[in-house]
Amino acid sequence: MRTMTDTEKTAAAINQSVELSEEQLRQAIELLFFAYRDFTGEADAILDEYEFGRAHHRVVYFIGRNPEVTVTQLLAILKITKQSLARVLGQLIDEGFVEQRTDAADRRRRLLALTPKGMELDKQLTKRQSLRIAGAYLAAGPQAISGFRQILRGLINAEDRERVDGFFTDIGSDISPKGT
Amino acid sequence: MRTMTDTEKTAAAINQSVELSEEQLRQAIELLFFAYRDFTGEADAILDEYEFGRAHHRVVYFIGRNPEVTVTQLLAILKITKQSLARVLGQLIDEGFVEQRTDAADRRRRLLALTPKGMELDKQLTKRQSLRIAGAYLAAGPQAISGFRQILRGLINAEDRERVDGFFTDIGSDISPKGT
DNA sequence: AAAAATATGTCAGTACTATTGACTTATTTT
DNA sequence: AAAATAAGTCAATAGTACTGACATATTTTT
């Protein structure tokens, strides 16, 4: 009686653990719900100080991440309407967190960027969330990080996946021990 | 002067060898944002048919998951106020998706459960989201699933982690669907 | 040059979710 | 009997987002 090869063992293991029970899928739903709730709740205290809401946070975040983004591009990223963005963006501009300049190449366009004040806010908001993520990353290790990324990427609509692919496509390797 | 324990040495080693760049952490923030947005968007079309919103979805989901849950427990899970829940829960009860009965052991309590109609809605809503998750799970494989879970669990506030431990650990007695 | 399309901005009205605060009723615990 | 707990309700407010309609400036197409 022959023994299984390593490959066969792996295949069997995959088959067994890939049996996706309703229980397992519901667990994933709940993980997402609680993780997202706690993750977004992180910045709320800071936002309150500025009398801003989560919509302001998202706008600040994505302008910070994509300097010189246009209004239309921002709408595409956030998937909200122009009217919804207007309120939030207007406040951020009025209060000096975001600045607009006309694109010289196409004068219909307004290029959006954070002011130093806006960068400061972005940094403050992102720091908290980053700490939470860093904690989870460090506790779980590089393999887990790779899996986390792969699955979340798979949950994103195909059209938007490229947005999160960042500058490196070799998922997993970028977290490995430095210098070795 | 005391020496480091093995655990401390390990922690120190991890801290030194793993470099979490701002870029990596921002990528995680974006993964969460897009994945959660697309994941929750999945059920919207169905909810529209019933003229319900996402709040109704969450309530149906958690009652389905925890039959005989009380109002207070549901508030603790959802972390919203009683007044917020009242509107949504009232509608669900009025329209026959959720039923209430008085707890015989403590007649102040109302035990909540889905009616067959409510179960049908829950199933319909969960199916879509489960398919999305199953797709990502199957594409990424068991190791990735494990990592995904570990990291998301690490993002959840410590108090609530037990809620998502599911079949692995004994869940907090406050929510379990009674028995012992 | 005129027409069409694009990018942005704005006004008005509506819906959903969620909040704080105050108060009531019923029931159980102290 | 008093205090605490569980649930329900009323009123007012805020934040986010939507649809629809329309205006202006600029660029592209015809």
Side-chain angles (χ1 to χ4, degrees):
Chain A
M1 183 176 158
R2 63 183 284 277
T3 49
M4 286 173 117
T5 64
D6 279 352
T7 310
E8 283 168 340
K9 280 181 192 162
T10 306
I14 287 172
N15 270 325
Q16 193 161 23
S17 64
V18 146
E19 184 71 23
L20 294 174
S21 63
E22 193 187 316
E23 173 60 34
Q24 204 177 351
L25 296 172
R26 282 197 176 248
Q27 194 200 23
I29 290 173
E30 286 160 44
L31 280 165
L32 281 166
F33 172 73
F34 290 113
Y36 195 75
R37 185 193 61 181
D38 293 344
F39 170 72
T40 54
E42 193 71 273
D44 288 353
I46 296 164
L47 289 166
D48 281 351
E49 285 173 37
Y50 292 85
E51 302 200 295
F52 286 155
R54 286 184 189 170
H56 299 86
H57 185 177
R58 291 198 289 276
V59 170
V60 166
Y61 181 87
F62 282 106
I63 294 176
R65 184 69 155 147
N66 307 286
E68 308 226 308
V69 69
T70 66
V71 172
T72 303
Q73 287 168 341
L74 198 53
L75 292 175
I77 294 173
L78 298 172
K79 282 197 186 144
I80 57 173
T81 58
K82 191 172 41 164
Q83 296 90 323
S84 290
L85 178 60
R87 174 185 58 93
V88 172
L89 186 56
Q91 287 174 334
L92 289 170
I93 292 169
D94 287 349
E95 298 180 33
F97 292 90
V98 171
E99 63 186 2
Q100 261 180 329
R101 46 172 261 270
T102 301
D103 182 358
D106 182 343
R107 290 159 39 79
R108 291 171 304 182
R109 293 199 177 110
R110 306 283 175 270
L111 306 181
L112 303 172
L114 296 182
T115 62
K117 191 177 166 189
M119 287 180 204
E120 188 49 48
L121 175 58
D122 179 40
K123 204 171 159 185
Q124 207 183 342
L125 291 168
T126 304
K127 197 194 299 169
R128 294 279 211 100
Q129 295 191 324
S130 294
L131 278 174
R132 182 177 286 256
I133 293 168
Y137 270 20
L138 289 170
Q143 271 206 331
I145 295 171
S146 171
F148 168 77
R149 286 206 198 139
Q150 281 177 256
I151 304 280
L152 282 187
R153 192 176 179 283
L155 292 178
I156 296 171
N157 288 341
E159 318 87 81
D160 283 329
R161 268 174 212 159
E162 56 180 31
R163 282 199 205 288
V164 292
D165 282 343
F167 311 108
F168 22 66
T169 35
D170 55 322
I171 282 183
S173 64
D174 51 312
I175 201 73
S176 15
K178 246 202 152 172
T180 42
Chain B
M1 200 178 165
R2 65 184 282 277
T3 49
M4 284 175 117
T5 64
D6 280 352
T7 310
E8 283 168 340
K9 279 181 193 162
T10 307
I14 288 172
N15 270 326
Q16 195 161 22
S17 67
V18 176
E19 170 81 10
L20 293 173
S21 68
E22 191 186 318
E23 173 60 32
Q24 283 156 5
L25 296 172
R26 283 198 175 247
Q27 194 197 27
I29 290 173
E30 285 160 44
L31 280 164
L32 281 166
F33 173 74
F34 290 115
Y36 195 76
R37 186 192 60 182
D38 293 345
F39 169 72
T40 54
E42 194 71 274
D44 288 353
I46 296 163
L47 290 165
D48 281 351
E49 286 173 35
Y50 291 85
E51 302 201 296
F52 286 154
R54 285 184 189 169
H56 299 85
H57 185 178
R58 291 198 289 276
V59 170
V60 166
Y61 180 88
F62 282 106
I63 293 176
R65 186 70 155 146
N66 307 285
E68 308 224 308
V69 70
T70 67
V71 173
T72 302
Q73 287 169 340
L74 198 53
L75 292 176
I77 294 173
L78 297 172
K79 283 200 184 139
I80 57 174
T81 57
K82 192 173 42 165
Q83 297 90 324
S84 289
L85 178 61
R87 174 186 57 92
V88 172
L89 186 56
Q91 288 174 333
L92 289 169
I93 291 169
D94 288 349
E95 297 180 34
F97 292 90
V98 171
E99 63 186 2
Q100 260 180 329
R101 45 171 263 270
T102 300
D103 183 358
D106 182 342
R107 290 160 37 81
R108 289 171 304 182
R109 291 201 177 109
R110 305 283 175 271
L111 305 181
L112 304 172
L114 296 183
T115 62
K117 191 176 165 190
M119 286 180 205
E120 188 48 48
L121 174 59
D122 179 39
K123 204 172 159 185
Q124 208 183 340
L125 291 168
T126 304
K127 197 193 300 169
R128 294 277 211 99
Q129 295 191 323
S130 293
L131 278 174
R132 182 177 286 256
I133 292 168
Y137 269 20
L138 290 170
Q143 273 207 331
I145 295 172
S146 168
F148 168 77
R149 285 206 203 134
Q150 281 179 73
I151 304 279
L152 282 187
R153 192 176 179 285
L155 293 178
I156 296 170
N157 289 341
E159 318 89 80
D160 282 329
R161 267 173 213 160
E162 57 179 26
R163 284 200 204 289
V164 291
D165 282 342
F167 33 79
F168 299 121
T169 336
D170 191 23
I171 215 166
S173 53
D174 55 322
I175 283 301
S176 17
K178 89 145 191 266
T180 40

